[in-house]
Amino acid sequence: MRVYVPLTLSGLAAAHRSGELGAGPLLAYAVTPALREWYVSDDIEELEYAALNRAAQASLRLLAGHPETPRRRVVVAVDVPDRNAAVDPDRGLDQSALGEVRITGPVPLSKAAAVHVDAADAVEDVAAAAAALGAADLGDDDAQFTVDGAEDHDLMWFGVQEIPQLLG
């Protein structure tokens, strides 16, 4: 199963040093039954793009909690055995948990298929979105507009072998 693990550049650097995304359980996003139902599509590429975007939103939340971290969203696409990715049945109908899975066990970085990262021109909008996230969560429409501005930037695709250049 292809899963999308939200990180930050600092988290990616730690994964690069250790050789793994984490020992588990890890939060990730994937094409789950609830995501399929919400997105209303049978096109697997569209569904995977939706899962990637859910992971990008989670990466933004990580950035909001770590103001010292560079303001670029990071998502690592990795293939894991289906049995290692579980949907929490208690959160299945929760709108905020669409596509969410928990990965059990360690996830070697060598299993990653790609890394998705914001381009440099997205940094200002991502920084503003991270700063506005708390107010948006409380219902502030202007703050939500700012958060949505980060989603106007598509994440760029990088091969795993390009991680050192991303971190340099």
Side-chain angles (χ1 to χ4, degrees):
M1 167 184 285
R2 172 71 47 99
V3 298
Y4 300 90
V5 180
L7 291 176
T8 62
L9 281 174
S10 300
L12 183 61
H16 183 63
R17 281 191 303 276
S18 70
E20 70 178 22
L21 294 174
L26 292 176
L27 172 70
Y29 293 83
V31 178
T32 62
L35 185 74
R36 281 182 188 275
E37 186 175 321
W38 171 74
Y39 199 74
V40 191
S41 175
D42 289 328
D43 185 325
I44 191 65
E45 287 183 14
E46 287 181 12
L47 290 165
E48 286 185 349
Y49 186 71
L52 170 66
N53 283 330
R54 300 293 292 177
Q57 292 169 355
S59 177
L60 183 65
R61 290 198 172 280
L62 292 173
L63 291 173
H66 297 93
E68 73 289 352
T69 301
R71 309 281 87 181
R72 292 171 77 184
R73 299 168 298 166
V74 176
V75 175
V76 177
V78 62
D79 295 314
V80 299
D82 288 357
R83 67 183 178 279
N84 290 5
V87 176
D88 183 345
D90 294 332
R91 290 185 42 89
L93 298 176
D94 183 348
Q95 180 82 9
S96 68
L98 287 171
E100 192 177 281
V101 295
R102 298 274 174 203
I103 304 171
T104 59
V107 180
L109 189 56
S110 63
K111 296 292 183 185
V115 179
H116 302 270
V117 181
D118 276 311
D121 68 350
V123 170
E124 188 176 316
D125 287 339
V126 170
L133 196 56
D137 286 346
L138 294 173
D140 183 317
D141 290 337
D142 291 334
Q144 186 62 52
F145 181 79
T146 301
V147 170
D148 292 343
E151 293 178 14
D152 291 341
H153 297 276
D154 287 329
L155 299 179
M156 296 174 45
W157 182 96
F158 295 93
V160 177
Q161 71 277 11
E162 295 178 272
I163 291 174
Q165 289 79 24
L166 288 170
L167 300 174

